[in-house]
Amino acid sequence: MRKLGAAVKLVFSFVYALVVANLAVARTVLSPSLDIRPGVVAFPTTLSSDLAITTLANMITLTPGTLTVDVSEDRRTLFIHTLNIVSSEEVVASIRRTFERHISELER
């Protein structure tokens, strides 16, 4: 039952992130000035299974404005390209809060 609750939270978090990201990308695209700061962020993950890491990487990639570019050989770091970096710490915190903690609950 605990895993079902975590799965439901993950789905709702993902859908919410999709809506927010789509609006942010649409605002950027429709803006007369292209005021973006793209870059790559190293995301240290606490996930250990291949399935959990793949799920996280795919959720990041499916969210507009972000793309998982690579996973380190030791599978402890994901490299994520983002359309607009305010701070790398904010990107990491957002992914942890939105996706990783729910996936981690499913991994246990």
Side-chain angles (χ1 to χ4, degrees):
M1 193 65 171
R2 180 182 55 81
K3 286 193 178 195
L4 178 61
V8 169
K9 288 178 191 175
L10 178 61
V11 168
F12 279 113
S13 290
F14 182 61
V15 170
Y16 180 77
L18 280 177
V19 171
V20 170
N22 273 295
L23 292 173
V25 169
R27 188 176 335 114
T28 299
V29 170
L30 297 174
S31 173
S33 65
L34 194 57
D35 186 28
I36 61 172
R37 290 183 292 191
V40 176
V41 174
F43 179 81
T45 185
T46 59
L47 302 174
S48 58
S49 74
D50 287 342
L51 178 60
I53 293 167
T54 301
T55 300
L56 177 61
N58 284 328
M59 290 183 129
I60 291 167
T61 297
L62 289 170
T63 306
T66 56
L67 172 71
T68 304
V69 180
D70 198 9
V71 178
S72 65
E73 287 199 28
D74 65 0
R75 299 180 1 227
R76 298 180 64 91
T77 306
L78 279 69
F79 296 95
I80 303 162
H81 181 274
T82 183
L83 186 61
N84 198 8
I85 297 177
V86 175
S87 79
S88 58
E89 293 83 14
E90 186 177 308
V91 173
V92 168
S94 174
I95 293 170
R96 265 194 220 299
R97 182 178 59 250
T98 307
F99 301 133
E100 187 183 47
R101 70 183 173 122
H102 299 302
I103 296 170
S104 180
E105 288 179 38
L106 290 172
E107 189 178 41
R108 288 187 232 151

